[in-house]
Amino acid sequence: MIKPVLISAFCVAAFLCGLSSAQVNHPRALTATPNFGRCKTPHGMPGSCIILQNCKKLYKLLLIKPISDVNKLYLSQSQCGYWNGKILICCPIHNTTPSIQPKIDLKPIQSSKAIKKAILLKHSPTESINMRKVPLPGQCGQMTTSRIYGGNATKIDEYPWMALIGYKKQLGQSGYHCGGSLINARYVVTASHCVNGRALPSDWKISTVRLGEWDTTTNPDCEIDSTGAKDCAPPHIDVPVELAIPHPKYDPLSINQINDIALLRLKETVIFTDFVRPICLPLNSNLHGASFDDTILDVAGWGKTESQTNSNIKLKAELDVVPLKDCRNVYRPQGILLKDTQMCAGGKRGVDSCRGDSGGPLIGLGTTSKGHTYFFLIGIVSFGPATCGMEGWPGVYTRVSNFVDWIQATIRT
Ligand code: ARG
């Protein structure tokens, strides 16, 4: 979050402003044929999430040149992750070892009708309900603190779903360069460009997610409350990342950075406290078509500030949602064509997300039919002008409501 000092060159695309490159890792030791757990194939059949090259049947599809659109679609729908620069694929369970005869024949999907059905099934509302693996309002989007207006620093227990994404670099170095949001006890949502973006240095590997953090310079963190008493949080936790899953349709080289969303599966489930709690997703179907135009949302993170360095303390800012039509007019002359799975917020001088905030949440306040309020994830920090906080230049965010089905279909229990 930043106030600009200089108006300098515009950062033409997200990958110039932020992170990137096809590199993801997790701390699991390398074995001959690592298996990343169970998954479902696009046909809904049981599968194992393994490296593409180890799944004979699907790998064969790649060798038939030219690859038909049908096979391309099937392969992209089968992707279940990304590991050490390698694509992970949901391999039909009877096909993971070459000695076993595959029982699933891929031929039927060569009719486009079957594909349409597979896509429809994926998005059918009944399946969304059955597959709900994220909490509902009441168990998510709550915080103990009351909101503060006008200030930039958050309270110690504000936005307890905020995560910092930690990278391992060369020579044993490490650093936190993106934000994210905890959505259940095992998964964090972030931006895909934080996982496989083009600007991500190739020697950076995602290694951990930090939760329960407020001030990065102290551990435990303590705040002096309004009565003058010292209020301390438990120490933050660094949870290893088991698997980083970029959206299969995210293209690191694209100028408009559509589908800039990724899931991080944690190696262990986390215990919720006042300082570690999930945010709700926009599950309610009436939130799906909503533009959120002209509403005020919060963005939070530890990204760059007006002093040009990252913030030690979790910061927040209030941003106006800018209608997509207006935002398109701002970005179009730069050759960036925004899609309706994206949204814009900000554009006021001095108030913006900034480098390092990527992957972090754009947060809305919802109300249940019983009148209970809860916070939910509306957007994910994607890209914006290189000089943050420029008047008339809103930041671009991934519109989460468009990805709820993907999130639910991708999460494993
Ligand atoms: N891609 C950026 C990051 O790495 C996010 C930049 C957001 N910029 C902005 N002006 N809103 O953190």
Side-chain angles (χ1 to χ4, degrees), residues 3-10 308 349-350 385-393:
K3 294 189 180 83
V5 181
L6 281 173
I7 302 217
S8 72
F10 179 77
Q308 294 297 309
R349 191 181 171 84
T387 302
C388 308
M390 283 208 293
E391 178 85 42
W393 284 93

Side-chain angles (χ1 to χ4, degrees), residues 14 17-19 193 352-358 381-385 388 395:
C17 321
L19 295 169
H193 80 267
D352 197 359
S353 52
C354 200
R355 192 166 180 162
D357 290 322
S358 272
V381 180
S382 182
F383 68 94
C388 308

Side-chain angles (χ1 to χ4, degrees), residues 236-401:
H236 60 242
I237 51 171
D238 279 310
V239 193
V241 173
E242 181 177 281
L243 189 60
I245 312 167
H247 191 280
K249 296 213 176 92
Y250 170 74
D251 175 2
L253 305 183
S254 69
I255 195 104
N256 59 2
Q257 294 286 287
I258 51 169
N259 306 312
D260 192 7
I261 182 169
L263 282 166
L264 303 179
R265 179 176 164 86
L266 307 179
K267 210 167 179 187
E268 55 227 33
T269 53
V270 294
I271 294 164
F272 301 153
T273 66
D274 281 353
F275 306 89
V276 177
R277 267 190 206 174
I279 188 170
C280 299
L281 289 178
L283 292 179
N284 197 320
S285 52
N286 62 20
L287 294 173
H288 286 189
S291 68
F292 303 108
D293 282 358
D294 305 314
T295 55
I296 298 173
L297 305 179
D298 288 348
V299 67
W302 288 265
K304 281 213 182 335
T305 65
E306 46 275 39
S307 68
Q308 294 297 309
T309 55
N310 278 23
S311 169
N312 298 336
I313 301 225
K314 193 194 289 181
L315 298 182
K316 65 172 182 180
E318 286 182 359
L319 304 178
D320 292 329
V321 175
V322 174
L324 194 58
K325 186 169 62 66
D326 302 342
C327 194
R328 281 186 169 135
N329 291 339
V330 173
Y331 281 89
R332 193 180 304 106
Q334 309 294 326
I336 301 172
L337 302 179
L338 298 176
K339 291 269 156 66
D340 49 17
T341 58
Q342 294 171 297
M343 61 188 290
C344 298
K348 283 201 186 136
R349 191 181 171 84
V351 194
D352 197 359
S353 52
C354 200
R355 192 166 180 162
D357 290 322
S358 272
L362 187 61
I363 305 159
L365 191 60
T367 319
T368 63
S369 49
K370 291 200 176 121
H372 300 299
T373 53
Y374 61 94
F375 290 91
F376 68 106
L377 186 63
I378 293 186
I380 296 170
V381 180
S382 182
F383 68 94
T387 302
C388 308
M390 283 208 293
E391 178 85 42
W393 284 93
V396 179
Y397 297 77
T398 305
R399 193 184 284 274
V400 175
S401 55

Side-chain angles (χ1 to χ4, degrees), residues 52 59 71 78-79 86 119 154 207 237 260 308 332 353 359 370:
L52 171 61
Y59 190 58
N71 286 349
S78 300
Q79 190 177 349
K86 293 196 173 91
I119 297 170
T154 60
S207 67
I237 51 171
D260 192 7
Q308 294 297 309
R332 193 180 304 106
S353 52
K370 291 200 176 121

